[in-house]
């Protein structure tokens, strides 16, 4: 008996075997709605694969709460389970239909999507877990389990273990444990659907007579990946004909590759998708009035078919035989209330009535961006289109919403509880600062200043990159307020550090250090567990004592001595707290656009990222650099022998030589313990390490943020390019491996202080294997990094 089931054959009795997503599509198909063709692979092979897993833990597949062992244990468990799942043999051909279950044409490409069913099991469950169980299970996989595209139906059995393994990531496991006690309680069915040529794709939500439609050109990947700002319209049932669309922005269209480009071939390619660059990125109405009316009518029919009071549809418009009449197809349907809810066993509480208020907030507005700093908080929005428009003083506990946020403004926001910006990426400076000070933040959220209103109550989720504008009803909802108190989180760098692990961390061969930018967090830093400060960003450290004036304004007014004294006062408490542990001070790397709020700021350059910054700026005017060298020399004379210096954004060996000569004249090289480093972030450094070693440089600090954007030619501050900015890209990994290994060959010390190990912890094992000397991360990431380095070193023995 085949495990493949057709959507139009599914009934309520099949729910457990096919999952909610497939069941809902089957309901729509049986009611005559235009649902995409497809089949569903039942949960049987998933469960059979779980039975073949070599469980290493005594509890087998039991899902342990994060509090028992911390996130490090969860991550370790996740990595072991994913590796074991990928090693499971492919489904036998005897259990698989070799030919697609369609009699007309063979689709050019196939999409695999997760369809879940969750069983809480017969054991006693907590009240919190029962409350979570009442949520529609179809919502569980949204945003957690991305679709996967393949080109050969016959080869799908070989790729299924890889597809299933994504359900075993640490992020997914932390969600599953809220809904079930064992992994085997999670039933993972696989929807297998053709990939259609697409004119446009998008979503529709219908609730209480209000319709919202969002759309992009081509396949929906542009929306899923966050590369486009969809065009959208909001209207009511009776006003569809008069609906107006807000324009969007889309530079790239994803399309199904023509079959002639990849067939016939000995083996079909895995991703038959092509990208088409748009000459005009503005995105306007993709649907005509007739098509929008048709889509609204399909939503009404879906409400009836699903017996729900609200629904979310994913749809696709694809060409038909008549070019003037393209076809609308539904690819996913999610009801607000669960039509498949069945009476539970007597020991389990009954599901909440549909007439009762939901646990989730009633949101009038939802803004999506990039989760920049973790934490979930509620606060009142303060929206401004320019930093100077922010009220002074800011209300305590507010959430600031701005188009952009530069460090000079960030450090003035003493009262903020959360941050939302329209621009910026996960490694922009606002994101880095937010993580360091522990303020939840969402960056790269398009149109946030237009969609969120001043005074609106916001629920900010920095983990998922989502901001909800709550309705008045949600603000008064006592049940939601209780849940909010439970889930509000803030970062605590020392919360996950165990004293019994301190001894083993002290035996690490790879040093784990902390990145620091300011002194306000100094007293909370877990310095006992760190090997020192691996990166001290001087420009942000100075911002605390500049009194609103640009550093160049101090120098131009002849106040170098006062500025040097203030820098000494900033550095001395850090040195005292470190004892004998090293402090690696990175000298000023001023980018003109980040300092415009300060008095006396120079004009913004046309391209600040590649402008007069780093050590090249010292050649043009070295007065600020001399201030820094004087401060470091004064601290050396005061007996601090743990000072080291990192030169920023070094482009050429000649720049390093010129700086070293200034450093030598300042007397810094004479002190014991002084080490001269350069940032390895400009690609030219890759080819010149022997020359830098000969020039007297003693170490390199890999700046993965700039290195990635320069190698891939991707602006890390542009959210629309976020999917292209990836430190795991093969060329970036090759570059980092070369830098580590070549540094060893040249007798140079090597560290990494960019965001790569934090954003992608799986890189830590590679860095250790390559022989990195130290890894420096923000304080909140210290516990996990210590554990990951320990595990990597244990595995390498």
């Amino acid at each position: 008996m085949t495990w493949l089931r057709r959507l139009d054959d599914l009934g309520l009795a099949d729910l457990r075997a096919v999952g909610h997503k497939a069941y809902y599509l089957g309901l729509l198909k049986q009611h005559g709605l235009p649902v995409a063709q497809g089949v569903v692979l039942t949960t049987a092979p998933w469960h059979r694969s779980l039975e073949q897993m070599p469980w290493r833990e005594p509890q087998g597949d039991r899902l342990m709460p994060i509090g028992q062992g911390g996130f490090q244990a969860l991550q370790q468990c996740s990595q072991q389970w994913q590796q074991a799942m990928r090693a499971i043999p492919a489904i036998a051909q005897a259990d698989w239909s070799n030919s697609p279950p369609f009699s007309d044409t063979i689709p050019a490409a196939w999409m695999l999507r997760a369809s879940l069913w969750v069983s809480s099991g017969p054991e006693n469950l907590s009240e919190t877990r029962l409350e979570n169980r009442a949520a529609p299970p179809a919502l569980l996989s949204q945003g957690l389990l991305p679709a996967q595209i393949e080109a050969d139906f016959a080869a799908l059995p070989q790729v299924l273990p890889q597809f299933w393994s994504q359900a075993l990531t640490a992020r997914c496991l932390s969600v599953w444990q809220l809904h079930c006690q064992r992994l085997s309680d999670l039933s993972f069915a696989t929807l297998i659907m053709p990939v259609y040529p697409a004119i446009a794709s998008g979503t529709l939500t219908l609730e209480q007579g209000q319709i919202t439609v969002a759309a992009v050109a081509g396949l929906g990947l542009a929306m899923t990946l966050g590369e486009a700002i969809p065009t959208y319209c909001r209207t009511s049932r009776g006003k569809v004909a008069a609906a107006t669309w807000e324009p969007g922005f889309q530079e790239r269209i994803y399309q199904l590759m023509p079959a002639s480009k990849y067939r016939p071939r000995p083996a079909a390619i895995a991703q038959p998708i092509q990208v088409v660059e748009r000459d005009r990125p503005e995105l306007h109405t993709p649907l005509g009035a007739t098509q929008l009316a048709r889509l609204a009518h399909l939503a009404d029919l879906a409400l009836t078919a699903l017996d729900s009071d609200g629904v979310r549809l994913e749809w696709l418009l694809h060409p038909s035989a008549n070019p003037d009449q393209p076809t609308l197809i539904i690819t996913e349907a999610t009801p607000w209330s669960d039509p498949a809810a069945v009476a539970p066993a007597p020991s389990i509480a009954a599901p909440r009535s549909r007439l009762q208020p939901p646990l989730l907030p009633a949101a009038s507005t939802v803004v999506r961006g990039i989760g920049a700093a973790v934490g979930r908080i509620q606060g009142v929005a303060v929206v401004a289109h320019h930093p100077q428009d922010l009220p002074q003083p800011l209300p305590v506990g507010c959430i600031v919403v701005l188009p952009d946020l530069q460090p000079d403004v960030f450090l003035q926001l003493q009262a903020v509880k959360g941050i939302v910006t329209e621009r910026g990426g996960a490694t922009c400076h606002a994101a880095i600062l937010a993580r360091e000070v522990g303020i939840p933040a969402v960056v790269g959220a398009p149109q946030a200043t237009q969609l969120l209103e001043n005074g609106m109550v916001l629920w900010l989720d920095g983990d998922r990159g989502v901001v909800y504008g709550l309705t008045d009803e949600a603000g008064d909802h006592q049940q939601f307020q209780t849940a909010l108190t439970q889930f509000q989180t803030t970062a605590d760098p020392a919360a996950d550090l165990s004293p019994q692990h301190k001894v083993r961390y002290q035996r690490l061969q790879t040093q784990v250090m902390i990145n620091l930018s300011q002194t306000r967090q100094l007293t909370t830093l877990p310095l006992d567990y760190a090997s020192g400060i691996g990166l001290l960003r001087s420009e942000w450290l100075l911002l605390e004592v500049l009194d609103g004036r640009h550093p160049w304004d101090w120098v131009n007014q002849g106040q170098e001595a006062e500025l040097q004294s203030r820098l000494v006062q900033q550095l001395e408490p850090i040195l005292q707290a470190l004892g004998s542990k090293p402090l690696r001070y990175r000298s000023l790397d001023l980018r003109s656009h980040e300092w415009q709020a300060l008095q006396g700021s120079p004009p913004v350059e046309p391209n600040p990222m590649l402008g007069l910054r780093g050590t090249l700026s010292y050649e043009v005017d070295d007065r600020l650099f001399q201030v820094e060298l004087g401060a470091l020399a004064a601290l050396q004379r005061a007996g601090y022998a743990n000072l080291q210096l990192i030169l920023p954004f070094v482009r050429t060996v000649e720049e390093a030589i010129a700086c070293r000569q200034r450093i030598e004249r300042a007397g810094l090289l004479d002190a014991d313990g002084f080490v001269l480093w350069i940032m390895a972030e400009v690609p030219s450094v890759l080819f010149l390490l022997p020359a830098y070693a000969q020039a007297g440089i003693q170490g390199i600090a890999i700046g993965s943020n700039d290195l990635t954007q320069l190698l891939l030619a991707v602006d890390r501050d542009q959210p629309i390019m976020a999917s292209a900015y990836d430190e795991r890209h093969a060329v970036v990994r090759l570059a980092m491996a070369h830098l580590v290994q070549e540094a060893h060959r040249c007798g140079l010390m090597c560290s990494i202080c960019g965001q790569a190990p934090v954003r992608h912890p799986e890189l830590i094992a590679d860095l250790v294997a390559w022989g990195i000397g130290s890894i420096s991360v923000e304080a909140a990431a210290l516990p996990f990094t210590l554990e990951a380095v320990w595990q990597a070193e244990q595995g390498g023995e």
Side-chain angles (χ1 to χ4, degrees), residues 202-376:
T203 62
L204 177 147
T205 58
L206 171 58
E207 186 178 23
Q208 298 178 350
Q210 298 299 307
I211 298 171
T212 302
V213 180
V216 295
L219 294 171
L221 285 172
M223 186 184 298
T224 304
L225 297 172
E227 294 183 355
I229 301 173
T231 177
Y232 69 94
C233 71
R234 293 188 179 94
T235 185
S236 60
R237 274 198 180 104
K239 298 181 179 179
V240 173
T244 58
W245 290 78
E246 294 291 332
F249 185 90
Q250 183 177 359
E251 292 183 316
R252 305 200 298 175
I253 300 176
Y254 289 88
Q255 289 286 16
L256 181 64
M257 187 181 295
S260 59
K261 289 192 176 183
Y262 63 93
R263 290 175 185 254
R265 288 188 181 183
I269 64 174
Q271 292 284 330
I273 302 297
Q274 63 180 354
V275 179
V276 179
E277 302 289 340
R278 301 180 76 230
D279 294 333
R280 296 179 177 271
E282 297 82 7
L283 184 62
H284 299 286
T285 310
L287 297 178
T290 302
Q291 293 160 348
L292 181 59
R294 168 66 172 159
L295 187 58
H297 179 61
L298 291 178
D300 281 328
L301 296 177
L303 278 184
T304 302
L306 298 175
D307 187 24
S308 177
D309 44 19
V311 68
R312 177 185 183 275
L313 301 178
E314 293 187 12
W315 55 268
L316 180 143
L317 186 68
H318 84 98
S320 65
N322 184 346
D324 297 327
Q325 296 181 356
T327 303
L328 273 168
I329 290 178
I330 298 172
T331 57
E332 185 175 323
T334 306
W336 293 152
S337 51
D338 189 359
V342 295
S347 60
I348 304 296
R352 183 183 295 104
S353 166
R354 281 166 39 188
L355 299 178
Q356 290 180 299
L359 271 180
L360 294 175
S364 62
T365 309
V366 179
V367 173
R368 292 185 178 273
I370 300 169
V374 298
R376 304 179 186 92

Side-chain angles (χ1 to χ4, degrees), residues 151 162 188 219 253 266 299 312 333 381 400-401 406 415 427 476 504 572 605 630 696-697 794:
Q162 172 69 33
F188 191 134
L219 294 171
I253 300 176
R312 177 185 183 275
V400 170
V401 184
Q406 296 300 339
T427 61
D476 296 333
R504 79 179 187 186
E572 192 161 18
E605 298 172 276
I697 301 302
Q794 293 297 110

Side-chain angles (χ1 to χ4, degrees), residues 424-466:
T427 61
C428 72
H429 286 169
I432 295 172
L433 273 171
R435 288 193 289 269
E436 181 173 318
V437 300
I439 297 177
V442 174
V443 301
Q447 299 177 317
T449 58
Q450 284 78 39
L451 298 175
L452 302 177
E453 299 177 1
N454 209 40
M456 177 184 283
V457 178
L458 302 183
W459 167 244
L460 186 153
D461 187 339
D463 300 64
R464 296 171 54 241
V466 183

Side-chain angles (χ1 to χ4, degrees), residues 14 22 31 120 159 406 493 580 593 598 635-636 732 772 787 795:
D14 300 308
H31 279 75
S120 294
V159 303
Q406 296 300 339
S580 61
H593 68 296
L598 300 183
L635 289 165
Q636 280 188 346
V732 182
I772 195 84
E787 185 67 17

Side-chain angles (χ1 to χ4, degrees), residues 1 12 31 88 134 142 154 260 293 347 380 418 479 554 562 775 795:
M1 178 179 178
L12 184 58
H31 279 75
I88 297 293
Q142 288 194 4
S260 59
S347 60
V380 177
Q479 191 176 34
W554 286 78
E562 174 63 20
I775 299 175

Side-chain angles (χ1 to χ4, degrees), residues 148-163:
Q148 183 170 318
I149 297 175
E150 301 291 339
D152 186 2
F153 184 87
L156 292 185
Q158 283 71 44
V159 303
L160 283 170
Q162 172 69 33
F163 178 64

